[in-house]
């Protein structure tokens, strides 16, 4: 992204300090006035004879006319969020549905049901719902509205009204059959370029994610060593009268470094790691969306081939092909619009995240 290089002049009246310089970068303003505000908070543990799970409070405030009230408060568990995501994918197969945090956490990070894990998941669920709320199409999805407003028993009842097992099996069989047909013959160049972009993006974002976790681990190890190293000098000063002041000074210095490192680690864990991992998940979602678009295209291609090989039933085939052409066009247009929107959001997230990390690093070294 070259937009950062365009901001290359700083006011001479501004003090020449790394932190003050980094603050000169100005990003675009936030989204326009919103009419739907969602908060995920107040995690609560539930222990039953069968399972232990967490529910989160979801508070919605809105001025939209299609809502019966201006404020709602419901409790949802992780499985409810999974249900919403699957319903959105089912209704909008070629839109980019925001990612959810994984059901199982990464090895070596945090323990399940620890305060750290619950808070990390709460933030991710909060972001998931607000990304949907900000989306021009997903925000008006009926299942999304039900998720935000229905009480637990109402939501449970609504879930049971979904497609039956045989219907779901049929969809799965069609998807698998479509996916094994081979490469799509008539894929527009734009979507081939999207595929190439996402393959490269996936490699790079996964690498960045690994590097960021390695940096965080090294910082944590350094922090733990310093926590032990400082008190040693304080104890040492008690037995060295001539060096007491110097040793206490060193202990005090190490303690300040320790606090600065802790702040730096907090910046990494709160800002860098979640954003990078979110876009690792986004890369998987994008590849899935492109595959679904190709499946729709493949269905059309197979019907066109079948029509060319059949001399009878041409009217019936022509009607089916017309419907499939409309379906492909709608899928293409939906993905094109969402692709541009996603790239803009991604570039904004990456730019602000890495600027934030740079600013935190500058403050750390200044301290």
């Amino acid at each position: 992204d070259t937009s950062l290089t365009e901001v290359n002049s700083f006011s001479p009246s501004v003090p020449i300090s790394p932190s003050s310089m980094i603050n000169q970068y100005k990003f675009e303003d936030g989204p326009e006035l919103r009419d739907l505000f969602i908060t995920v908070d107040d995690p609560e543990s539930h222990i039953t004879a069968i399972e232990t799970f967490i529910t989160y409070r979801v508070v919605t405030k809105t001025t939209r006319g299609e809502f019966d009230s201006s404020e709602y408060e419901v409790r949802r568990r992780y499985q409810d969020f999974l249900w919403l995501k699957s319903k959105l994918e089912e209704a909008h197969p070629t839109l980019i549905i925001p990612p959810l945090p994984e059901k199982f956490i990464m090895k070596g990070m945090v323990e399940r049901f620890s305060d750290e894990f619950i808070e990390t998941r709460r933030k991710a669920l909060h972001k998931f719902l607000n990304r949907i709320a900000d989306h021009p199409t997903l925000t008006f999805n009926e299942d999304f509205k039900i998720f935000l407003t229905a009480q637990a028993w109402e939501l449970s009842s609504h879930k049971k009204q979904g497609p039956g097992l045989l219907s779901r099996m049929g969809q799965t069989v069609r998807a698998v059959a479509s996916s094994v047909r081979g490469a799509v013959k008539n894929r527009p160049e734009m979507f081939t370029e999207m595929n190439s972009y996402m393959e490269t993006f996936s490699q790079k974002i996964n690498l960045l994610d690994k590097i960021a976790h390695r940096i965080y681990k090294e910082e944590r190890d350094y922090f733990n060593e310093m926590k032990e190293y400082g008190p040693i000098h304080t104890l040492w000063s008690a037995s060295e009268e001539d060096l007491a002041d110097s040793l206490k000074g060193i202990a005090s210095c190490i303690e300040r470094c320790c606090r600065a490192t802790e702040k730096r680690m907090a910046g990494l864990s709160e800002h860098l790691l979640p954003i990078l991992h979110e876009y690792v998940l986004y890369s998987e979602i994008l590849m899935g969306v492109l595959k679904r678009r190709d499946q729709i295209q493949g269905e059309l291609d197979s019907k066109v081939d079948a029509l060319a090989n059949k001399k009878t039933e041409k009217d019936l085939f022509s009607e089916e092909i017309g419907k499939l052409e409309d379906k492909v066009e709608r899928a293409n247009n939906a993905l094109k619009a969402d692709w541009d929107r996603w790239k803009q959001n991604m570039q904004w997230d990456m730019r602000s995240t890495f600027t934030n990390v740079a600013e935190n690093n500058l403050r750390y070294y200044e301290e």
Side-chain angles (χ1 to χ4, degrees):
D1 193 314
T2 58
S3 59
L4 276 182
T5 60
E6 295 166 7
V7 189
N8 55 14
S9 62
F10 299 95
S11 169
S13 62
V14 176
I16 304 302
S17 154
S19 287
S20 64
M21 289 177 70
I22 207 75
N23 284 328
Q24 298 304 306
Y25 289 114
K26 300 294 183 187
F27 300 123
E28 60 262 40
D29 293 329
E32 295 177 3
L33 291 174
R34 294 165 56 191
D35 56 6
L36 186 63
F37 297 88
I38 304 167
T39 305
V40 178
D41 61 11
D42 190 27
E44 194 175 280
S45 297
H46 300 264
I47 301 172
T48 69
I50 302 172
E51 61 179 341
T52 300
F53 60 93
I54 308 291
T55 62
Y56 300 85
R57 181 174 64 176
V58 178
V59 177
T60 304
K61 296 181 180 180
T62 182
T63 56
R64 289 185 188 173
E66 65 265 27
F67 286 83
D68 297 330
S69 175
S70 61
E71 187 169 343
Y72 296 88
E73 182 179 316
V74 296
R75 293 203 75 84
R76 297 286 181 256
R77 57 185 296 184
Y78 181 77
Q79 288 180 357
D80 299 326
F81 287 86
L82 279 178
W83 169 82
L84 174 61
K85 185 171 184 290
S86 68
K87 294 298 285 185
L88 292 173
E89 288 173 345
E90 182 184 312
H92 309 282
T94 54
L95 289 183
I96 302 165
I97 312 300
L100 273 174
E102 299 98 327
K103 186 172 180 66
F104 301 106
I105 58 176
M106 289 177 291
K107 185 178 179 182
M109 288 300 291
V110 288
E111 293 181 9
R112 197 174 176 225
F113 299 132
S114 70
D115 290 344
E116 184 184 354
F117 169 72
I118 292 170
E119 177 59 14
T120 300
R121 173 166 281 186
R122 183 201 65 76
K123 287 179 180 177
L125 297 176
H126 176 87
K127 181 176 278 191
F128 169 72
L129 292 183
N130 279 279
R131 286 206 188 273
I132 295 170
D134 291 338
H135 193 284
T137 302
L138 299 178
T139 189
F140 297 107
N141 178 275
E142 187 62 24
D143 289 305
F144 181 47
K145 179 185 170 186
I146 289 168
F147 177 91
L148 296 177
T149 61
Q151 292 305 311
W153 65 269
E154 294 174 306
L155 182 64
S156 179
S157 175
H158 180 73
K159 285 181 180 180
K160 292 172 183 174
Q161 298 171 12
L165 176 62
L166 292 176
S167 171
R168 291 199 300 272
M169 284 176 64
Q171 291 169 5
T172 304
V173 169
R174 283 197 299 275
V176 171
S178 162
S179 65
V180 297
R181 285 190 186 114
V184 179
K185 291 187 295 183
N186 300 313
R187 180 200 283 159
E189 181 64 24
M190 167 183 274
F191 299 108
T192 300
E193 290 173 2
M194 281 187 193
N195 266 293
S196 299
Y197 181 97
M198 285 314 303
E199 285 173 4
T200 304
F201 178 84
S202 179
Q203 291 171 1
K204 291 187 176 183
I205 200 70
N206 273 283
L207 182 59
L208 276 171
D209 188 52
K210 288 176 183 175
I211 291 170
H213 277 93
R214 191 182 73 210
I215 290 170
Y216 181 80
K217 182 181 180 299
E218 288 173 357
E219 286 287 306
R220 188 178 59 199
D221 292 344
Y222 176 55
F223 171 74
N224 289 334
E225 284 181 12
M226 277 199 297
K227 275 174 66 178
E228 295 179 5
Y229 193 47
I232 288 172
H233 286 76
T234 304
L235 291 170
W236 187 6
S237 67
S239 60
E240 294 278 2
E241 289 185 12
D242 295 343
L243 299 175
D245 290 342
S246 297
L247 291 170
K248 285 178 182 176
I250 292 172
S252 175
C253 178
I254 292 171
E255 187 182 344
R256 290 199 301 274
C257 288
C258 210
R259 287 198 298 268
T261 302
E262 192 170 22
K263 280 200 302 188
R264 190 186 193 189
M265 285 166 55
L268 290 172
S269 65
E270 290 173 18
H271 302 292
L272 180 64
L273 298 182
I275 284 288
L276 289 179
H277 194 64
E278 182 182 19
Y279 278 96
V280 168
L281 299 177
Y282 257 128
S283 69
E284 297 168 5
I285 287 167
L286 261 295
M287 296 302 282
V289 169
L290 288 164
K291 281 181 183 175
R292 288 196 289 274
R293 194 223 70 89
D294 283 354
Q295 287 169 3
I296 296 170
Q297 178 88 54
E299 200 175 343
L300 171 62
D301 292 346
S302 67
K303 288 289 181 187
V304 170
D305 290 344
L307 178 61
N309 295 330
K310 278 185 178 280
K311 295 180 180 178
T312 58
E313 303 175 4
K314 283 200 171 183
D315 291 341
L316 178 63
F317 266 76
S318 297
E319 185 180 344
E320 286 186 29
I321 286 171
K323 289 179 181 177
L324 281 169
E325 285 174 341
D326 290 343
K327 190 176 179 182
V328 169
E329 186 176 359
R330 286 197 304 272
N332 289 350
N333 291 337
L335 181 49
K336 281 179 199 172
D338 231 20
W339 173 257
D340 292 338
R341 184 178 176 280
W342 177 81
K343 277 189 77 175
Q344 187 177 7
N345 284 343
M346 180 268 291
Q347 288 165 355
W348 159 255
D349 282 341
M350 291 297 163
R351 199 157 62 238
S352 58
T353 296
F354 280 110
T355 302
N356 180 276
V357 170
E359 192 170 18
N360 283 341
N361 284 346
L362 290 169
R363 276 199 297 266
Y364 170 80
Y365 286 113
E366 282 173 350
E367 286 180 35

